[in-house]
Amino acid sequence: LLEDAVTRLAASDTDELMALIGSDDEPVSLEAMRRAGDLKSPAAVPHLARALGSSSETTRAAAIGALAEIASPGAMQLLERSIEDEDRDIRLAALKACTERQHRPTIGRLERALKDRLLRDGSSVEKSAFFDAYATLGADYAIPLLEKILLPKGLLERKEDPIMRASAAMALGKFGSERALHILRKAAD
């Protein structure tokens, strides 16, 4: 009953709710972000963008959660940018939201992450999540890069670390297409 009343109040005074997102009192700010997400309020997106700049991982995580619930074009752009956050948990939460919402513009950032040092130094869980998202969002477009990671062509071409190669193979396995299976067979030989 109390929860319903608070939700009705938040919905009726969105200006106050938006102001509370920027509160210096972290528990108040976190609850305001949660409420904004529950209401799927696009008006909260600029306020949540500021919260993403916080040094607090808890605040950034709450902003990611609210943006994922809102899922407006502006919210999705912020989530896409957040897959480059310095914190692994924030990157993974943003990546999950972009993948679940099938936000295809994320492909470019995923491709850069797969090619750059950011992901090369990541954990196996993070690498696997990025490859899975890339395969999910990229569809057949993703196959050439996955092939390049799994099967370096030239003698002088640098071979990827085993976790990167295994993640690329698992991503290729999701396709089930003849082309993907052919690449996997070549890697097995």
Side-chain angles (χ1 to χ4, degrees):
L1 185 64
L2 179 60
E3 186 78 17
D4 291 340
V6 171
T7 300
R8 279 194 307 277
L9 284 172
S12 68
D13 194 358
T14 56
D15 289 341
E16 183 63 26
L17 180 62
M18 299 311 123
L20 290 174
I21 289 173
S23 172
D24 291 335
D25 186 349
E26 190 175 53
V28 169
S29 177
L30 296 175
E31 183 61 22
M33 284 187 259
R34 189 180 73 74
R35 296 286 175 181
D38 288 348
L39 295 171
K40 298 184 183 342
S41 174
V45 172
H47 303 277
L48 294 167
R50 284 191 287 284
L52 287 174
S54 171
S55 60
S56 165
E57 181 187 335
T58 305
T59 297
R60 290 195 322 274
I64 293 292
L67 289 166
E69 288 297 316
I70 295 167
S72 68
M76 295 310 297
Q77 286 177 344
L78 291 171
L79 287 168
E80 179 186 339
R81 283 188 221 132
S82 295
I83 67 171
E84 296 173 345
D85 191 272
E86 73 237 11
D87 184 81
R88 180 188 85 119
D89 292 336
I90 300 298
R91 287 192 301 268
L92 290 174
L95 180 65
K96 180 180 180 201
C98 287
T99 304
E100 286 177 351
R101 301 287 185 181
Q102 293 290 303
H103 185 62
R104 298 215 186 285
T106 307
I107 293 169
R109 279 187 205 273
L110 289 172
E111 204 164 82
R112 280 192 302 280
L114 294 176
K115 292 177 181 176
D116 292 345
R117 300 290 318 150
L118 167 76
L119 193 57
R120 298 200 188 290
D121 298 333
S123 70
S124 60
V125 169
E126 186 174 17
K127 289 176 184 178
S128 179
F130 270 75
F131 275 100
D132 185 49
Y134 185 63
T136 299
L137 296 174
D140 286 342
Y141 171 84
I143 291 176
L145 178 60
L146 296 173
E147 178 181 21
K148 184 178 179 185
I149 291 169
L150 187 58
L151 302 171
K153 299 274 188 221
L155 214 52
L156 299 177
E157 183 122 3
R158 187 174 70 93
K159 217 175 193 179
E160 297 292 345
D161 74 78
I163 294 172
M164 290 283 285
R165 293 181 74 230
S167 296
M170 289 178 63
L172 280 166
K174 288 184 175 238
F175 288 106
S177 70
E178 190 53 45
R179 183 175 175 203
L181 292 174
H182 174 73
I183 295 165
L184 290 170
R185 282 188 208 102
K186 274 176 65 173
D189 291 339

